[in-house]
Amino acid sequence: MELVTPKKTDFYFLPLGGSGEIGMNLNLYGHDGQWLIVDCGITFGDIDHPSVDIVLPDISSIEKHTDKISGLILTHAHEDHIGAVHYLWPYLKCPIYATKFAAEVLKFKFRENNIDINDDELEINIIETDTIFSVGVFDIEVINMTHSILEPTGLLISTKVGTLFHTGDWKIDFNPQIGKAIDKKRLKELEKKNILAMVCDSTNIFVKGNSGSEEEVIDKLREEIRESKNRVFVTTFASNIMRLKTIVSIGHSLGRKIAFAGRSMHRMLEIANNCGYLSDLPPLIKEKDINKVAKKDILIICTGSQGEPRGALNRIANGDHQKISLNKGDKVIFSSRVIPGNEKYISRLQNKISDKGAEIVLSSQDIKIHVSGHPARDELEQMYNWVKPNALIAVHGETRHLNAHAEFAKQHQIKNAIPAKNGSMFAITDKLIKLIGEVESGRLVIDGNYIINRNSEVLKTRHKMMYNGVINIVLFLNKENMFLSKPSIFVDGVVDKNIDENPEEFLMEIIMSQVREIEKIDSTNKSKITEELVSELKRKIKSKFLKKPLINLKIEVIEKKRAYV
């Protein structure tokens, strides 16, 4: 169905990303002729599209209705909530609302991608927690939450139909180390506001108990760092400023000099500092001066906890970093979790670290050096009890997460609980949540300087070439379809030439066996030659090599009467 224009009596919810997957969050709320966007994030390439690095939500369903978009609100600065804005804003051109930290991260992205932040059309409004403002027909209250990044927010979205609570990413933490604790007082007051629905984070629905406070990692991190007599490396997420501060404070208290490694780490530190955070950090050691400090006196905090090829830790483990080396007896602490899909990359990285003779420390129940930024089951139950929503819409998770969250909510007195799905439009009332239709949704990908559909022919072709190889053939014919010379044949990635010494010769035999058949084809129908010859090549290649390579066949017609055969 096409995106509808909501009436005064309508209150719609429409996820276009993040419901049925981890990452790429983009949600819309509709009321009284307008649409409000909440978050606009990315995800990363998967095993089905290995040539793709960045994936965006498909906004084609709303692109034709930009005049009805009242604004875009960002709940926080993680990539899966903010990372697509600089790619998609030129198509939306709506006002943006974000906290100071998220706004600074966004401005950096705009500048990095040559978008003028002083453009008259680019309106970035700074919002603060505990405030109420209007975006078109929507009244928004910003509620302070806690998460693994600075300034995470939940949104109370009010219309003439009623009020809904969008949690954003959250956990319950009363001592997050930087910033305010989760606003328990205000959340408990929502019980009195008759919340029509709570749109809620489902990431950790399979985790029992609590996610844990940021302060809980301090003791074990201190213990692990104190025990080492050599260099200590700690890798974590660059955006987790609270964790970075904790690690710096521990290292400094143990008499170690502190150095940071990794471009994104330095960028986040700079942005946090510009926003008034981390002003009390001790003097830092520059990367170029690390080797001047005794091994027992240095602590290096670096990017690369997910095994990213260009992450600092991977370059250090590979021996490719110009200024930092990893040696036998050093300790590498992973103060992070494994993001689904990154298992292989992390395993490879840890094997390289182990091969260097360094010790690896991972978070576990006994060694708690990382806590999640998402709510476990006890926290979800606590939030239900505080807010007491009429209904729950499970978002931010794969299908299995959303289904489990909906069932969990039903077990805890929220009878009207549903799993969201990208493209599904729901009508929200004080009595029920009703599915009213499906709009177009999907994925776009960044391909060089272009944004293309994930099902684009260019990606299909690239995928086929990657796994089956490519064969390029040029035939030189006269107007009567007679061969004027041997075909030119180029074979790449189809078969190891050490196994089959001359695949070109095999293909040549197939082509030359078809010469007489080709001559019989109507001389004006060159496409018929291509069709029949490619069909024969595919059949013979599959039989011999068990491959389906991409075959490009071009016919060059030359004004020459004498035939080759």
Side-chain angles (χ1 to χ4, degrees):
M1 64 178 282
E2 289 289 321
L3 188 70
V4 299
T5 300
K7 300 174 184 175
K8 288 183 179 181
T9 54
D10 294 329
F11 195 2
Y12 293 146
F13 171 65
L14 171 62
L16 291 180
S19 291
E21 64 209 342
I22 300 290
M24 205 180 77
N25 297 281
L26 191 154
N27 301 287
L28 286 94
Y29 293 96
H31 173 65
D32 195 8
Q34 296 183 16
W35 288 96
L36 173 71
I37 304 175
V38 175
D39 291 328
C40 185
I42 63 168
T43 188
F44 299 100
D46 53 31
I47 56 175
D48 295 324
H49 297 83
S51 65
V52 171
D53 291 328
I54 297 173
V55 183
L56 319 172
D58 188 346
I59 60 167
S60 54
S61 60
I62 59 173
E63 199 174 346
K64 299 173 186 175
H65 305 274
T66 54
D67 59 318
K68 298 180 179 67
I69 299 174
S70 57
L72 163 62
I73 304 179
L74 302 172
T75 58
H76 64 284
H78 273 149
E79 288 294 307
D80 60 328
H81 291 256
I82 198 175
V85 177
H86 60 286
Y87 294 114
L88 299 180
W89 179 84
Y91 302 92
L92 300 172
K93 296 210 169 173
C94 59
I96 299 170
Y97 300 82
T99 65
K100 186 175 181 181
F101 180 76
E104 287 301 314
V105 172
L106 184 60
K107 288 176 185 178
F108 176 88
K109 290 179 176 294
F110 277 130
R111 285 191 292 264
E112 194 175 43
N113 287 271
N114 299 313
I115 297 175
D116 184 6
I117 61 172
N118 295 313
D119 186 327
D120 290 339
E121 291 186 288
L122 180 55
E123 179 187 335
I124 301 178
N125 302 279
I126 305 300
I127 61 176
E128 296 181 357
T129 55
D130 308 320
T131 60
I132 299 174
F133 61 98
S134 295
V135 181
V137 297
F138 301 92
D139 291 329
I140 311 296
E141 179 180 344
V142 186
I143 297 177
N144 190 78
M145 307 295 277
T146 42
H147 184 46
S148 53
I149 196 167
L150 294 172
E151 302 174 355
T153 60
L155 305 174
L156 203 62
I157 303 172
S158 297
T159 68
K160 294 173 183 176
V161 174
T163 298
L164 175 148
F165 180 44
H166 183 103
T167 68
D169 289 7
W170 64 279
K171 61 186 287 185
I172 295 177
D173 194 343
F174 296 112
N175 193 2
Q177 304 303 295
I178 301 180
K180 295 183 287 187
I182 190 169
D183 195 344
K184 175 182 175 181
K185 179 175 179 292
R186 182 55 182 147
L187 290 168
K188 290 182 73 174
E189 290 172 351
L190 298 188
E191 177 185 357
K192 302 172 185 175
K193 292 189 70 69
N194 186 33
I195 302 300
L196 300 183
M198 182 164 72
V199 178
C200 188
D201 181 353
S202 307
T203 311
N204 276 350
I205 184 59
F206 297 114
V207 180
K208 295 179 180 179
N210 296 287
S211 60
S213 171
E214 192 63 32
E215 71 174 336
E216 292 177 29
V217 305
I218 295 174
D219 289 344
K220 284 298 180 181
L221 278 173
R222 177 179 285 111
E223 183 179 317
E224 290 295 334
I225 294 170
R226 184 177 56 229
E227 287 176 354
S228 178
K229 304 302 179 186
N230 291 298
R231 274 184 180 170
V232 175
F233 296 81
V234 182
T235 184
T236 189
F237 301 105
S239 59
N240 194 338
I241 301 299
M242 298 80 74
R243 186 73 51 79
L244 298 184
K245 183 180 180 183
T246 293
I247 298 166
V248 169
S249 298
I250 292 170
H252 185 62
S253 70
L254 295 173
R256 287 184 180 256
K257 305 291 185 182
I258 312 298
F260 284 93
R263 182 168 168 262
S264 60
M265 195 76 77
H266 289 292
R267 180 172 69 234
M268 281 295 177
L269 286 170
E270 180 183 353
I271 292 172
N273 192 56
N274 291 342
C275 292
Y277 301 101
L278 304 181
S279 58
D280 57 346
L281 287 188
L284 303 175
I285 298 295
K286 294 181 179 179
E287 288 184 27
K288 66 182 181 66
D289 295 325
I290 286 175
N291 288 329
K292 297 176 184 177
V293 181
K295 289 186 175 183
K296 65 180 180 62
D297 296 329
I298 189 75
L299 171 63
I300 303 166
I301 306 170
C302 52
T303 60
S305 67
Q306 299 305 299
E308 304 96 316
R310 294 186 294 274
L313 185 56
N314 220 325
R315 290 187 289 122
I316 293 167
N318 285 332
D320 295 335
H321 200 287
Q322 294 181 344
K323 301 177 179 70
I324 308 172
S325 61
L326 179 67
N327 299 288
K328 185 176 181 179
D330 291 344
K331 178 180 282 191
V332 181
I333 300 172
F334 282 76
S335 184
S336 57
R337 72 181 181 96
V338 177
I339 295 176
N342 291 341
E343 293 87 352
K344 276 189 177 180
Y345 303 108
I346 296 172
S347 178
R348 286 175 190 160
L349 171 60
Q350 291 175 354
N351 282 330
K352 286 185 284 190
I353 293 169
S354 181
D355 195 47
K356 292 277 188 180
E359 179 187 356
I360 298 171
V361 181
L362 306 177
S363 188
S364 66
Q365 284 188 333
D366 295 328
I367 308 174
K368 198 167 191 177
I369 53 176
H370 176 70
V371 290
S372 173
H374 299 274
R377 289 196 162 201
D378 286 357
E379 290 160 283
L380 289 168
E381 185 179 355
Q382 182 67 76
M383 186 64 77
Y384 304 159
N385 291 332
W386 286 348
V387 178
K388 290 187 168 54
N390 296 351
L392 180 128
I393 303 176
V395 297
H396 203 291
E398 297 172 359
T399 302
R400 62 194 180 98
H401 296 89
L402 307 187
N403 289 337
H405 190 180
E407 286 303 311
F408 183 74
K410 289 175 183 177
Q411 294 166 12
H412 291 83
Q413 286 73 54
I414 303 179
K415 294 181 181 179
N416 192 4
I418 61 169
K421 179 184 175 185
N422 290 341
S424 295
M425 187 184 298
F426 298 94
I428 301 168
T429 70
D430 59 351
K431 292 187 172 131
L432 54 83
I433 297 174
K434 181 181 178 183
L435 176 65
I436 60 172
E438 303 279 340
V439 305
E440 184 178 355
S441 65
R443 293 183 165 201
L444 305 173
V445 303
I446 301 300
D447 188 53
N449 290 325
Y450 301 96
I451 298 175
I452 62 176
N453 192 285
R454 192 177 72 159
N455 296 319
S456 165
E457 282 301 318
V458 70
L459 293 182
K460 292 178 182 178
T461 300
R462 196 178 295 160
H463 190 271
K464 190 170 186 179
M465 290 169 64
M466 183 179 298
Y467 289 105
N468 292 279
V470 61
I471 296 172
N472 292 298
I473 300 170
V474 183
L475 305 183
F476 303 96
L477 308 179
N478 64 16
K479 287 186 176 181
E480 287 74 38
N481 293 347
M482 293 180 177
F483 280 67
L484 300 176
S485 68
K486 277 187 176 184
S488 294
I489 302 172
F490 306 92
V491 181
D492 289 302
V494 177
V495 63
D496 190 329
K497 292 186 179 181
N498 290 324
I499 298 172
D500 192 298
E501 292 185 0
N502 201 338
E504 288 88 354
E505 189 174 300
F506 168 71
L507 298 174
M508 183 72 75
E509 289 176 3
I510 299 171
I511 296 169
M512 300 313 290
S513 72
Q514 299 297 306
V515 167
R516 299 309 170 205
E517 296 300 319
I518 290 172
E519 289 177 355
K520 294 176 186 177
I521 297 174
D522 182 352
S523 60
T524 62
N525 193 357
K526 302 301 183 189
S527 63
K528 180 74 170 173
I529 298 174
T530 300
E531 181 184 327
E532 293 196 0
L533 187 52
V534 168
S535 177
E536 180 68 8
L537 286 164
K538 284 181 176 179
R539 187 175 67 81
K540 294 285 182 65
I541 290 166
K542 184 179 179 182
S543 176
K544 183 174 176 64
F545 300 123
L546 294 178
K547 291 282 186 69
K548 296 180 180 180
L550 181 70
I551 300 176
N552 297 316
L553 192 149
K554 182 179 180 183
I555 298 175
E556 290 282 355
V557 179
I558 299 174
E559 298 285 347
K560 184 178 179 182
K561 292 186 177 179
R562 186 176 178 182
Y564 170 69
V565 291

